[in-house]
Amino acid sequence: MARTTDSDLAPQELRVLVAVADTGSFSAAAGGLGLTQSAVSHSVRGSERKIGAVLFDRGRGGARTTPAGERAVTHARRVLRLLDVLAAEARGAARPDAAEGVVRIAAFRSAALHLLPPVLRRLRDRHPGIEPRVRVVREVGRGTAGEVADGRADLAVATLGGPSPLPPGLVAHGLLDEPYSLVHVPGHPAPRSLPLVDWVENCGSYTRDWWAAQDWIPKATIEAEDDGAVLSLVSGGHGMAIMPALSLTGAPDSVQITDLGPGRPTRRVGYVTTSELAGSAVVRALVRELRAALPAGRGAP
């Protein structure tokens, strides 16, 4: 049997690194872990010695990860998650169809509101041993996929097809393609002449070229917090909006949805997970329910 070496990090050392990064404080990390502050400091110093890099900048304002620390904490989260999965998969080895354990999901707002609820119901009905935990994350910057890359989520419902490649170790698969539509108050004779209501998550890389080619779209005069606020403002007669299909699920009768024609933009919605977790029972069960919940004809090719 292989023996550990002085350079190996123990799971408890990994937990300390994650706790310090998450709380930004040695004392807060100690309180959360049930340790003394000196024990946390000793553990971090030991980890830094084994790794050969400074992982945290210490100061009066607390502890902040260095670039080396950011990378180390990301790997620590993912290793700790794999240890959890190892235990759950070993317990369920005699019952391969009975997946159990936590599955952490990151999703942008409209996916969390309109795509996930039936998926989670089916998942609980078919696999009562699975405990889904959902976080709603704004789809800007690194977005939901970044939560998976950083080890905070096992699977992300994400928008795919941007110019930036996925971080190493992640895999992505499409689920559906969403068309964009023009949304305005019913019966307006010239809805394209209305002011534009928009929100920061909307015009991603997948629509930018189309957007730039439309000389009738003005600069947004109102920028709302999210797509729900956009719908409310459009319903109140404050302008028009260009929105993807998920955001328009269950739209009120006080707005009219107009097709943008054959050249309309679309965005691809899919899921992102790590190559290690893609084969885990909980992620495979979740992916099956995601695919099963798609209406006929809406799946991505």
Side-chain angles (χ1 to χ4, degrees), residues 159-162 176-181 202-211 242-246 259-269 298 300-301:
T159 49
L160 308 180
L176 61 97
D177 290 320
E178 284 187 281
Y180 278 71
S181 299
N202 192 24
C203 188
S205 58
Y206 34 82
T207 63
R208 192 170 292 127
D209 290 344
W210 177 89
W211 204 284
I242 299 166
M243 306 181 72
L246 272 178
D259 195 303
L260 285 168
R264 67 192 179 191
T266 62
R267 72 171 179 179
R268 172 160 287 197
V269 176
R298 287 199 58 188

Side-chain angles (χ1 to χ4, degrees), residues 8 10 41 65 72 108 198 206 239 269 298:
D8 290 334
S41 298
T65 51
F108 55 91
D198 207 2
Y206 34 82
V269 176
R298 287 199 58 188

Side-chain angles (χ1 to χ4, degrees), residues 184-194 256:
H184 52 90
V185 289
H188 194 283
R192 294 189 178 205
S193 67
L194 292 168
Q256 181 175 332

